[in-house]
């Protein structure tokens, strides 16, 4: 027992050689946090892709968000008709309706990945472009941006099959 205690005391006297993270290096910490956030985003997207691939459907709780997206599609169809008729002021007024806030809320709730946030941002850039357009051609260009971005967002979010009129 005495020999065992002496060997433990000698072992405890050795210098520690553990690998400890350098918490003082802010750049290193920021890079590590960014890599972790990126991995989490990639994992979330992989899970969503798997769910879509395997045919899982969204829950009934998501129906409000899907309804908001469907309303936005319907409004954009109406706006497209106004632009075809050459009525840019009416299209501009319709692009500022309450459906925009509903779509904004829905895009944030349906999926929270950074990639989808960027795609959703492009939708709202297009809608804002319709509102602020100075000519019919500018309105049409902004309309195309909004519609193609909404189609891409719906496809990536996996809800294309649940939205009519895309």
């Amino acid at each position: 027992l005495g020999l065992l205690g002496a060997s433990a005391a000698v072992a405890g006297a050795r210098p520690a050689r553990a690998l400890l993270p350098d918490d003082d290096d802010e750049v290193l910490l920021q890079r590590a946090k960014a890599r972790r956030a990126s991995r989490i985003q990639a994992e979330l997207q992989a899970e969503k892709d798997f769910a879509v691939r395997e045919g899982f459907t969204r829950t009934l709780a998501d129906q409000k968000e899907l309804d908001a997206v469907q309303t936005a599609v319907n409004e954009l169809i109406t706006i497209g008709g106004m632009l075809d008729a050459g009525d840019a002021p009416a299209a501009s007024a319709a692009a500022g309706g309450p459906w925009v806030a509903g779509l904004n809320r829905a895009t944030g709730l349906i999926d929270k990945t950074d990639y989808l946030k960027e795609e959703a941002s492009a939708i709202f850039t297009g809608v804002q472009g319709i509102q602020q357009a100075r000519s019919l051609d500018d309105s049409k260009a902004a309309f195309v941006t909004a519609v193609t971005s909404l189609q891409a967002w719906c496809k990536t979010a996996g809800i294309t099959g649940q939205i009519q009129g895309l």
Side-chain angles (χ1 to χ4, degrees):
L1 198 58
L3 187 57
L4 186 58
S7 65
V10 171
R14 291 186 192 171
R17 297 188 191 264
L19 296 176
L20 299 175
D22 188 6
D23 291 338
D24 296 335
D25 189 353
E26 285 298 319
V27 174
L28 183 64
L29 284 174
Q30 292 303 321
R31 272 191 269 159
K33 287 178 183 179
R35 279 193 306 267
R36 176 146 172 76
S38 175
R39 283 194 313 266
I40 289 171
Q41 291 293 324
E43 187 175 315
L44 280 172
Q45 189 60 46
E47 289 174 1
K48 290 185 183 309
D49 292 344
F50 172 76
V52 169
R53 193 173 51 250
E54 295 299 317
F56 291 103
T57 58
R58 299 196 170 268
T59 64
L60 201 53
D62 291 335
Q63 192 59 45
K64 280 180 162 178
E65 287 76 32
L66 293 175
D67 289 344
V69 175
Q70 184 64 59
T71 300
V73 169
N74 296 342
E75 289 292 331
L76 285 170
I77 290 170
T78 303
I79 291 170
M82 292 173 185
L83 291 173
D84 280 343
D87 194 356
S92 176
W99 63 271
V100 178
L103 179 63
N104 191 11
R105 185 181 64 74
T107 57
L109 292 175
I110 287 178
D111 201 321
K112 294 178 170 75
T113 61
D114 290 339
Y115 181 70
L116 277 176
K117 286 179 185 176
E118 290 174 18
E119 284 187 356
S121 176
I123 298 168
F124 299 111
T125 300
V127 170
Q128 188 176 25
I130 296 169
Q131 293 171 340
Q132 298 173 348
R134 302 266 184 223
S135 70
L136 182 61
D137 289 337
D138 290 345
S139 293
K140 287 181 178 182
F143 174 77
V144 169
T145 299
V147 170
T148 55
S149 298
L150 181 60
Q151 288 172 332
W153 181 85
C154 287
K155 182 178 180 188
T156 306
I159 62 171
T160 303
Q162 298 165 325
I163 304 297
Q164 297 176 359
L166 286 176

